[in-house]
Amino acid sequence: MAQPQHPKLPSVLSSTPAVQDVLTAPEHVDAGLARVTNPTETPIFICAMQNCYRLFPSRDRVMLHRKRDHDSEDQEDIITWND
């Protein structure tokens, strides 16, 4: 049985202008708020339909988005690390 092909992000994403962070102080960075996560703690589902690439916390939310914004109930082209 062949493995299903999962969609992949393009190697180059659209660029947007960078803005300077004027709110974060060195103390915030030193506090170390970031940490490594895993699929069970941080579910990520990305709609890859028609170069959309919006992120959602569950497959159900992706499907609601698709029905509303893409007028589709197609369950293909979802990028996730949770399956």
Side-chain angles (χ1 to χ4, degrees), residues 40-74:
T40 58
E41 292 180 352
T42 311
I44 299 172
F45 294 85
I46 304 170
C47 176
M49 181 178 272
Q50 302 168 351
N51 296 321
C52 177
Y53 302 119
R54 288 190 54 193
L55 278 66
F56 298 91
S58 70
R59 186 174 297 277
D60 291 341
R61 293 285 303 274
V62 173
M63 296 312 296
L64 288 172
H65 153 75
R66 286 197 170 173
K67 189 169 186 173
R68 182 190 68 222
D69 296 347
H70 298 295
D71 194 29
S72 173
E73 294 185 26
D74 183 9

Side-chain angles (χ1 to χ4, degrees), residues 1-2 5 7 19-22 24 36 46 52 67 78 83:
M1 178 184 274
Q5 285 289 345
V19 293
Q20 183 176 1
D21 179 1
V22 295
T24 304
V36 175
I46 304 170
C52 177
K67 189 169 186 173
I78 296 176
D83 290 340

